[in-house]
Amino acid sequence: MTLKYAHESEYFFFAQLLVHHVERYIEKHPDAQDAIFDLRDIYDLFRQDFASTTTNLEAILNVADEYKIETLNGDQKLISHYAIDPKNNSLLLDFNAEALASLKQGKSLIKPDATSHE
């Protein structure tokens, strides 16, 4: 029996939900250089899709950390580092300072290309 990898488009959808959630967080917390989200909040954000909040979260984060923002030094990733902390049920995100500044100045996010993503 073989299983086909058929959920790639869902990863992009959930990554987009997560990145927009991060954008709203940054708007509400303009001094933030990082963020800590409770995984229960991510579960609700993902419309209570348990697989996306557990097994598939790493793949979703791999897509989410490909979102970039135009800066003076070229396009840079918004999320510079992420970590899942299962002990504290948290998702930790560190932001790239230059990309964060550009986002706060009104620059738009550049989505990753879903057709060429590995």
Side-chain angles (χ1 to χ4, degrees), residues 5 10-19 22 35 37 39 42 45-46 51-67 77-85 90-95 112 117-118:
Y5 183 70
E10 290 179 14
Y11 294 161
F12 281 86
F13 172 72
F14 287 120
Q16 186 173 17
L17 285 175
L18 180 61
V19 169
V22 168
F37 297 109
L39 288 177
I42 302 301
L45 177 69
F46 291 168
S52 294
T53 313
T54 56
T55 308
N56 298 335
L57 185 57
E58 183 77 26
I60 292 166
L61 289 166
N62 282 331
V63 174
D65 80 348
E66 291 298 319
Y67 277 75
K77 294 180 179 183
L78 175 61
I79 299 171
S80 63
H81 177 75
Y82 65 82
I84 301 167
D85 181 355
S90 300
L91 171 62
L92 314 165
L93 301 176
D94 293 324
F95 303 124
H117 194 58
E118 296 179 14

Side-chain angles (χ1 to χ4, degrees), residues 18-49:
L18 180 61
V19 169
H20 288 302
H21 182 69
V22 168
E23 277 184 301
R24 289 188 299 275
Y25 177 85
I26 292 169
E27 287 175 10
K28 291 179 184 176
H29 305 91
D31 295 332
Q33 298 296 313
D34 54 23
I36 300 173
F37 297 109
D38 190 304
L39 288 177
R40 290 175 292 231
D41 295 336
I42 302 301
Y43 176 69
D44 288 339
L45 177 69
F46 291 168
R47 298 183 178 128
Q48 300 180 348
D49 183 324

Side-chain angles (χ1 to χ4, degrees), residues 69-76 96-103 107:
I69 298 175
E70 180 185 345
T71 70
L72 294 175
N73 294 316
D75 297 344
Q76 295 194 25
N96 174 308
E98 284 186 67
L100 186 61
S102 288
L103 182 65
K107 298 280 185 177

